[in-house]
Amino acid sequence: MADISLPPEADSRIERIVAAILGIADGKFETGMEPSGRRDEIDAIIVGINSMAAEIARIYRDLDQRVAERTTLLEEARDKMQVLAFSDPLTGLANRSALLRQLEHAMDRHRRGEPAPVLMLLDLDAFKDINDTHGHSTGDDVLCLVADRLRSGMRDGDLIARLGGDEFAVLLPQGAPRPLELGRRLIALINAETTISGVPVSPGASMGIAEATTAHDADMLLQEADTAMYVAKQLTRDKVREFEPFMLYERQQRAVLLTDLRGALGTEQIYPVYQPIVDIPTGAWIGAEALVRWRHPERGVVMPGQFLELAEEGRLLPRLTTQILEAALGDLSAWRERGLVDESFTVHINVTPAELHMLDFPDLIRAALRRHRMPATCLGIEITEHNMLSGDSLDRYSLLALSRMGVHTNIDDFGTGYSSISYLNKLPVDGVKLDRSIIEGIPADARQVALVNAVSGLITACGLECIVEGVETAEQHEALLRMGFASAQGYYYCRPVPATDLEPALKGHQRPTA
């Protein structure tokens, strides 16, 4: 066969077509090919390849633009996620994660010779009561207020964080010359009274301070600051404390005691002792207050002052109250069956306002009375007044429910708080128990006698009954009798004793029969 050769022009165009296709495959979309004047099939291919290259180039440009836009969006989302991951959404402060990260950095710098960082932890003292009384919206406003006040009191470069709930932290990465003074200034800022939604609030706060050493890690420093804060919360004044090693030991001991208390609940280690309530004119025992005791297997008898606060911190008070209520109703039922007391004799138990705020509290009382087949009139409830009894709707709900059952209700420790007079007429209670501090000094101190008479008149004007506690001498008893008080209790009549020790005396102290 004869060789068929293409014209030179055709060979040149085909070579350029091949080179353009290879360039396109390599990402070079400018072909540089121009069709010839022949307008033949090869020119048509050149035009098609040029068009295809331009379209691919456009697609790549659009794709690059979309990739760039998506990359920007992803970077913005990452930045927002970092902000969310390291900030508190309510206050805008740093959160616990941010604090730990910055604390580790500061401690690393300290190990390289920079100043020791200082950590301050603070906790609001009255936040739960603000939430319970005025609602969570007001509580959130208080948290934001505290955040703003902390910002106003800090230097640039210091980190303020909200760790959760009502707990805040301040990190001084470069330390401070007098951290105790700074802590006191911050607490004073927070304590300043203000009005939120028409409600006057003064949050109050306690602070613990710890300074890092090269041996610390973040968790250890947090624990020490938290321990110092815990000690500060127990104080009534100057609620700022710097960490000292003995504090950690005391807290560890309290933790051990709390663990023991959890194990003691539901056992015979927890039991009531009884102090009679006396009819002053006749000397008859008309009731008895059930007081909790704990017989620890190693420590012996532990008094309430040593463990009730622990029980409250560990949220064990409802279980503790229920156990004493069950024991007291059981003892009273047995005394009635044996004829040791008549049907007017009552037992009183102590509860806290926090327990009144439990919606099922009246139902717990009703169920216990039914289990022991006892009437509601046999039971008295004493609410500790100095533990922020507020008179809000939850207080009223529980007190009204108890009153409608027939349970007697009294405000305990009357006269030791700040709002006693204001809520005497507001709360549906039957009476008050006058605190022992009110009768100290009578009858020798004429001014104290006048004060007691004035308080008695106030209670009477409100239509309430009154029990005077803390009567220790015959002179106090006689003075109360002359002033017209009806009921009292105290060491003068009988010390708190277990049921087995009280029972022999019950029969001889009944009301005289008509």
Side-chain angles (χ1 to χ4, degrees):
M1 291 181 62
D3 290 337
I4 300 174
S5 57
L6 294 172
E9 297 84 358
D11 292 341
S12 173
R13 285 184 296 170
I14 290 172
E15 288 174 2
R16 283 187 288 132
I17 288 171
V18 171
I21 292 172
L22 292 174
I24 292 170
D26 200 31
K28 299 172 184 177
F29 304 120
E30 294 294 331
T31 65
M33 290 192 303
E34 294 289 339
S36 69
R38 297 178 139 190
R39 308 293 181 180
D40 57 8
E41 290 86 347
I42 294 178
D43 278 347
I45 291 171
I46 290 174
V47 170
I49 290 174
N50 286 340
S51 176
M52 178 186 69
E55 179 64 16
I56 293 174
R58 183 191 65 77
I59 291 171
Y60 267 75
R61 284 194 302 272
D62 290 347
L63 181 61
D64 287 343
Q65 183 177 354
R66 285 199 297 271
V67 168
E69 289 172 353
R70 296 292 172 86
T71 300
T72 300
L73 289 173
L74 287 171
E75 288 174 349
E76 290 175 353
R78 181 199 62 197
D79 292 342
K80 289 179 181 178
M81 288 294 290
Q82 284 187 329
V83 170
L84 290 173
F86 293 107
S87 66
D88 173 53
L90 176 64
T91 62
L93 298 176
N95 63 10
R96 181 181 290 271
S97 297
L99 174 72
L100 290 173
R101 184 173 65 170
Q102 293 302 316
L103 183 56
E104 290 286 6
H105 292 334
M107 294 174 75
D108 284 342
R109 291 194 296 271
H110 175 50
R111 294 184 190 103
R112 295 195 296 268
E114 294 193 18
V118 171
L119 180 64
M120 299 173 164
L121 290 188
L122 65 96
D123 184 87
L124 303 186
D125 296 330
F127 184 69
K128 183 179 185 302
D129 299 301
I130 291 171
N131 254 349
D132 291 344
T133 304
H134 304 296
H136 290 277
S137 177
T138 299
D140 287 348
D141 290 341
V142 168
L143 294 174
C144 292
L145 171 72
V146 170
D148 290 340
R149 288 180 173 179
L150 287 173
R151 288 188 187 100
S152 71
M154 298 311 301
R155 310 167 300 184
D156 290 341
D158 295 334
L159 179 72
I160 309 167
R162 179 185 173 217
L163 304 187
D166 60 343
E167 191 174 12
F168 294 80
V170 175
L171 173 62
L172 313 175
Q174 296 294 315
R178 290 179 294 275
L180 198 60
E181 292 182 13
L182 174 60
R184 287 173 178 149
R185 287 201 302 273
L186 291 176
I187 293 299
L189 277 174
I190 293 170
N191 286 348
E193 186 170 306
T194 189
T195 300
I196 295 178
S197 303
V199 177
V201 294
S202 178
S206 303
M207 176 182 286
I209 302 172
E211 183 174 358
T213 68
T214 55
H216 276 92
D217 60 21
D219 288 339
M220 188 186 305
L221 194 64
L222 275 167
Q223 183 186 38
E224 290 184 0
D226 187 65
T227 298
M229 181 182 71
Y230 179 85
V231 172
K233 287 184 75 70
Q234 314 310 312
L235 305 175
T236 55
R237 300 179 62 183
D238 192 18
K239 298 172 76 65
V240 182
R241 281 292 177 269
E242 290 183 290
F243 174 78
E244 297 180 56
F246 78 87
M247 295 176 179
L248 193 57
Y249 174 77
E250 288 185 355
R251 188 164 187 184
Q252 289 168 343
Q253 290 298 104
R254 288 175 67 88
V256 170
L257 195 62
L258 178 58
T259 300
D260 290 348
L261 180 58
R262 290 184 193 277
L265 286 172
T267 74
E268 293 182 354
Q269 290 183 33
I270 303 295
Y271 64 97
V273 294
Y274 297 94
Q275 186 172 41
I277 299 170
V278 178
D279 179 69
I280 295 176
T282 65
W285 291 1
I286 57 176
E289 180 181 5
L291 302 164
V292 63
R293 294 291 186 268
W294 176 17
R295 188 179 291 105
H296 192 282
E298 297 173 0
R299 301 169 185 258
V301 175
V302 184
M303 299 300 286
Q306 297 174 268
F307 67 87
L308 283 183
E309 187 178 301
L310 279 177
E312 188 169 9
E313 290 173 10
R315 300 183 179 180
L316 302 178
L317 274 182
R319 290 176 58 191
L320 195 61
T321 299
T322 299
Q323 186 165 343
I324 295 302
L325 172 64
E326 294 284 347
L329 290 176
D331 287 336
L332 180 59
S333 176
W335 297 338
R336 282 191 173 193
E337 289 179 5
R338 292 158 56 191
L340 298 177
V341 298
D342 61 26
E343 292 184 357
S344 66
F345 192 93
T346 58
V347 290
H348 293 229
I349 65 166
N350 294 283
V351 303
T352 65
E355 290 172 278
L356 281 187
H357 277 230
M358 295 163 49
L359 290 176
D360 63 344
F361 181 74
D363 295 327
L364 295 176
I365 298 295
R366 184 181 292 108
L369 290 166
R370 286 177 177 169
R371 276 193 294 275
H372 293 275
R373 299 180 181 179
M374 298 293 287
T377 52
C378 78
L379 181 63
I381 298 291
E382 298 184 1
I383 306 106
T384 308
E385 188 261 353
H386 63 256
N387 277 356
M388 294 297 293
L389 184 63
S390 60
D392 64 10
S393 56
L394 284 174
D395 288 339
R396 292 182 59 81
Y397 165 79
S398 292
L399 290 170
L400 280 171
L402 293 170
S403 177
R404 287 168 182 165
M405 268 189 262
V407 173
H408 301 280
T409 53
N410 294 281
I411 299 172
D412 198 6
D413 300 326
F414 181 77
T416 59
Y418 298 100
S419 56
S420 307
I421 295 173
S422 67
Y423 61 52
L424 274 183
N425 275 327
K426 182 166 43 171
L427 291 174
V429 295
D430 299 302
V432 300
K433 181 175 279 188
L434 200 62
D435 188 71
R436 66 184 64 246
S437 63
I438 302 296
I439 66 166
E440 286 180 357
I442 69 165
D445 187 338
R447 293 182 63 182
Q448 196 68 21
V449 171
L451 174 63
V452 174
N453 275 318
V455 173
S456 175
L458 173 66
I459 295 169
T460 301
C462 293
L464 300 175
E465 300 171 354
C466 179
I467 301 171
V468 183
E469 65 177 351
V471 179
E472 297 187 353
T473 67
E475 290 77 17
Q476 288 176 328
H477 167 81
E478 293 298 331
L480 294 172
L481 180 61
R482 288 193 300 271
M483 284 186 266
F485 284 94
S487 307
Q489 68 182 108
Y491 285 1
Y492 172 68
Y493 307 107
C494 183
R495 289 177 176 270
V497 293
T500 52
D501 294 337
L502 185 73
E503 290 170 1
L506 282 173
K507 188 70 173 176
H509 286 86
Q510 289 193 19
R511 287 182 186 271
T513 55

